[in-house]
Amino acid sequence: MIAWELPTVLALALISGVVTLMLFRFVRRDHYLVCRPVPFVGGVVFMPLFVAIAVVLGAEWSDAERASGLVLLMVGFWASAAWLASPRTQGRWVPGLEFGPGLNFRPDLILPGGVMLVKGTILTGIGIMLAVQESFRLPKWNWWGFVLAFFGIITLIPIRGMAKMLARRDRFLGRPAGWQVPVRWGLLVGGLSILLYGFLAAFMGRTPISEFRPVAGQAPLAAALLAAGALSLLAREAWKRRLLEGVETSPARFGSNLWLYTSLVVFMYGYILAFMGRIMRPHLADNPAGLAIGATLFTLGASLILIARPVALHNELRATVRVTVGALAAMPPEARWRMMIERMRTIAAYPIPQRSWHIAAMMSAVAELDPDTSAEIERTRNEVMVTMTSEERMAMMEAMDQLVA
Amino acid sequence: MSDRRTSTPVKFVIAYLVVLALMLGWWTALQASTGSAAPVLTVLVAYAGPAVGWGVVTTLIGEKRRRT
């Protein structure tokens, strides 16, 4: 019997809205695949696999059939995020997507890192839920829980992504960055809280707020874990400000995501304790199947955040530089000059390895433009160089010499 | 001569309604497939929906791109 209930239709309507917004052709037809590359389109159209997971969890099958269906879908759920680590996910600059100075509607520049965070969190969460039961019990499903979790997804992917884009533009232009740590942290912890509460309610089969509230059992420990997770994420945001954007070492990139993941697991376990009211731990003898499936899903989630995400974030940065150069070329001459002098003064103040990386990234982006536009950008760059101080000019020349060498 | 081109907001609403209809159709097919009492058919329907959507979006628009 097919049940057309309000929360199901509402959830499908919300998902359809996001899918349409991300795939809609806002640009000329021949520019579409340039700014929405094939892997990006695939990542978007496979996001609604949530719907299939919900159907499988609610099917009237045996536990073994539902568990195998869940695992088969979860592998696709993971793969459709993992392939977003490909550098082909991000496109090149095309005109017609500008919505502010130096800003373009480019979900391909923010989606991969955000999707990996969200899907990594969900896979880890289901993995933990399956692994810590006393006996084998599959999650249930409640569509109202998903509707609430959807707003957590919106906070973590597009809203936090936009905040990161604005923050990156301000950093690129050497503008005050004091707002960035609290805003990014607030969106991360706020988004995670909504996401975890919504999905926990959904997987427990309860309606949020009316049927799903914290219980007192382990309240002090749960509060301590939630506070520790949140504070650890704040410390991480502050630490990240000290990294040299673009030339972070691989251990620093991995370490940053390991720090994120560890804090996330602590925060998540705090949520589980708050709503279950008792210590949950694996029971190998009584629930080997739950432990095995849970460990598999946990590993898939961890691999997204620890391995794929650092790669995706670096690709996003590289593509943002590329798209910014294209956007600069399309600006009116005066606006381009103003933005370019801010950008070049910021680069001149960077330490030498970071200076060289940003100049190389910009030069390669200029080389991708058509000859006339490329010549226009180079002319503005030369005009800006003349107005810079001799120290700034020397700094730029030193980095360029190093690149040539 | 009147301009008969459809505006972007109207096109967006049409696109949204098409996506919503496809999503509802996919969900209905998924629900119906669980009646077969085996997960294989449901998993196939689950993957077929996005795979077809992926193909349609990329090849349809890509095809037009090659023609222009």
Side-chain angles (χ1 to χ4, degrees):
Chain A
M1 169 100 178
I2 294 165
W4 290 76
E5 290 169 346
L6 174 66
T8 317
V9 176
L10 182 59
L12 295 178
L14 291 170
I15 297 170
S16 302
V18 172
V19 169
T20 310
L21 188 63
M22 284 198 279
L23 296 183
F24 187 72
R25 187 173 63 78
F26 288 103
V27 293
R28 273 171 36 186
R29 197 177 290 276
D30 58 338
H31 283 164
Y32 183 78
L33 290 176
V34 179
C35 65
R36 304 278 186 271
V38 173
F40 169 81
V41 174
V44 173
V45 295
F46 272 92
M47 283 201 310
L49 269 184
F50 281 117
V51 177
I53 290 167
V55 169
V56 164
L57 290 177
E60 290 175 358
W61 297 336
S62 68
D63 273 356
E65 284 172 332
R66 283 192 303 140
S68 49
L70 178 70
V71 171
L72 286 171
L73 290 178
M74 281 297 184
V75 170
F77 187 69
W78 169 85
S80 56
W83 77 56
L84 295 177
S86 158
R88 292 172 54 210
T89 304
Q90 289 85 15
R92 287 182 286 119
W93 178 80
V94 294
L97 293 171
E98 302 83 2
F99 66 93
L103 292 170
N104 289 261
F105 178 65
R106 294 301 299 260
D108 55 319
L109 302 184
I110 56 174
L111 184 88
V115 164
M116 287 168 191
L117 173 62
V118 166
K119 288 193 174 182
T121 303
I122 295 168
L123 284 162
T124 301
I126 303 179
I128 293 177
M129 280 180 77
L130 281 167
V132 299
Q133 306 283 350
E134 287 89 352
S135 59
F136 185 71
R137 208 162 48 228
L138 279 166
K140 296 174 185 163
W141 187 258
N142 179 293
W143 278 107
W144 281 119
F146 176 81
V147 168
L148 183 63
F150 179 85
F151 291 96
I153 297 174
I154 292 294
T155 307
L156 287 173
I157 303 180
I159 297 177
R160 187 163 179 268
M162 286 300 302
K164 285 174 85 170
M165 235 177 188
L166 279 170
R168 182 161 277 162
R169 185 195 61 173
D170 282 3
R171 288 197 303 276
F172 276 5
L173 300 177
R175 293 175 183 172
W179 62 272
Q180 298 188 3
V181 167
V183 168
R184 287 168 53 141
W185 175 74
L187 289 172
L188 179 60
V189 172
L192 278 175
S193 301
I194 303 169
L195 181 87
L196 291 174
Y197 176 68
F199 271 115
L200 205 50
F203 289 130
M204 300 282 289
R206 309 239 196 100
T207 304
I209 302 168
S210 65
E211 294 176 1
F212 194 57
R213 293 180 186 157
V215 288
Q218 292 290 335
L221 181 57
L225 289 174
L226 288 170
L231 288 173
S232 173
L233 288 171
L234 180 61
R236 174 182 168 270
E237 289 289 346
W239 169 76
K240 274 175 62 184
R241 282 189 68 184
R242 297 169 56 188
L243 300 177
L244 300 180
E245 192 169 23
V247 286
E248 305 95 336
T249 59
S250 296
R253 278 188 212 133
F254 172 75
S256 171
N257 282 280
L258 180 62
W259 191 341
L260 168 70
Y261 191 65
T262 311
S263 312
L264 193 64
V265 171
V266 170
F267 197 71
M268 194 183 290
Y269 195 71
Y271 254 87
I272 292 174
L273 278 187
F275 287 91
M276 304 298 285
R278 58 200 162 86
I279 302 279
M280 306 285 285
R281 61 176 177 78
H283 296 269
L284 181 58
D286 301 320
N287 184 19
L291 190 57
I293 298 172
T296 306
L297 298 183
F298 187 95
T299 308
L300 291 177
S303 72
L304 276 187
I305 295 180
L306 298 179
I307 299 168
R309 193 165 183 267
V311 177
L313 292 179
H314 196 59
N315 292 341
E316 286 176 11
L317 172 64
R318 206 171 254 290
T320 304
V321 173
R322 199 164 61 213
V323 168
T324 305
V325 169
L328 268 174
M331 283 179 172
E334 202 174 313
R336 177 167 63 232
W337 193 90
R338 273 202 307 273
M339 195 164 273
M340 215 145 156
I341 195 159
E342 279 185 279
R343 176 81 177 120
M344 286 175 67
R345 285 202 162 126
T346 308
I347 292 178
Y350 285 156
I352 184 76
Q354 191 182 19
R355 207 183 310 152
S356 299
W357 187 89
H358 280 263
I359 290 175
M362 287 184 74
M363 281 165 71
S364 108
V366 171
E368 283 181 10
L369 299 170
D370 66 79
D372 289 347
T373 317
S374 160
E376 184 70 11
I377 284 274
E378 279 170 3
R379 194 176 59 79
T380 312
R381 184 196 64 195
N382 293 340
E383 286 171 7
V384 166
M385 285 283 270
V386 172
T387 64
M388 292 171 90
T389 64
S390 56
E391 288 82 8
E392 286 169 339
R393 262 199 307 276
M394 285 290 288
M396 296 300 277
M397 298 306 286
E398 186 188 2
M400 283 181 192
D401 286 346
Q402 203 178 61
L403 281 174
V404 173
Chain B
M1 217 167 95
S2 63
D3 186 356
R4 296 174 66 190
R5 283 181 302 177
T6 314
S7 68
T8 301
V10 173
K11 280 184 191 168
F12 185 86
V13 171
I14 294 168
Y16 171 71
L17 293 174
V18 170
V19 172
L20 179 59
L22 291 172
M23 196 75 77
L24 288 168
W26 179 53
W27 178 72
T28 307
L30 279 166
Q31 288 270 82
S33 72
T34 60
S36 69
V40 180
L41 184 62
T42 304
V43 171
L44 284 176
V45 174
Y47 281 115
V52 169
W54 193 3
V56 166
V57 172
T58 54
T59 58
L60 206 80
I61 298 174
E63 183 75 21
K64 294 269 170 72
R65 184 172 65 104
R66 280 193 292 276
R67 278 186 201 151
T68 52

